[in-house]
Amino acid sequence: MRKLLHSILLTISIVGVVYVGACFYTKDKTDDFASMLGQYNFLVKKQPYYVKIDNAKGRDEDGYGNYDYTLTSYDKNGNEHPIKFTGMGKLKQGHFLEVTAKGAYVYTYREVFEKDMSNDIYNKLSAQ
């Protein structure tokens, strides 16, 4: 019985260490593994990120008109994060978006204006 309990505790510890390590590894990553882990990570909450569209950084990888954007975003505290999302077509150059994401997994995006974000974030995005 004691050996079984030790085995269970060791397994739980190993899984916990691997999970926490994967969370640290995927912080500020934009690849598919980070997106999948962010989607199912119960420790990460959904939050808005703000981006300014730069079509020079958008690519139509699949040839169907869906543009993949890898941009610099800012959270509500003004901290910088890389973000990758797919736009339904080529988005308007220079427009601002609020991207709702959980880790690297992007749920939605919508156009926002200067009044919808803090002055600090607006100034950082305008300088890009």
Side-chain angles (χ1 to χ4, degrees), residues 12 35 70 76 81:
I12 290 171
S35 178
T70 302
K76 62 184 176 185
H81 302 278

Side-chain angles (χ1 to χ4, degrees), residues 32-104:
D32 291 335
F33 177 69
S35 178
M36 182 212 45
L37 191 62
Q39 181 180 9
Y40 298 111
N41 187 347
F42 62 89
L43 299 174
V44 177
K45 61 181 179 172
K46 278 188 194 179
Q47 63 179 348
Y49 294 95
Y50 298 94
V51 298
K52 181 179 179 183
I53 297 301
D54 181 3
N55 283 321
K57 296 180 182 177
R59 302 276 182 251
D60 183 9
E61 298 289 335
D62 59 9
Y64 292 107
N66 298 320
Y67 280 75
D68 294 323
Y69 290 92
T70 302
L71 302 169
T72 301
S73 69
Y74 295 94
D75 61 18
K76 62 184 176 185
N77 299 322
N79 300 320
E80 184 177 310
H81 302 278
I83 196 161
K84 182 177 181 180
F85 65 97
T86 301
M88 302 303 288
K90 195 172 202 177
L91 300 175
K92 295 178 182 176
Q93 177 70 26
H95 283 229
F96 299 105
L97 298 181
E98 177 186 87
V99 179
T100 304
K102 183 177 175 197

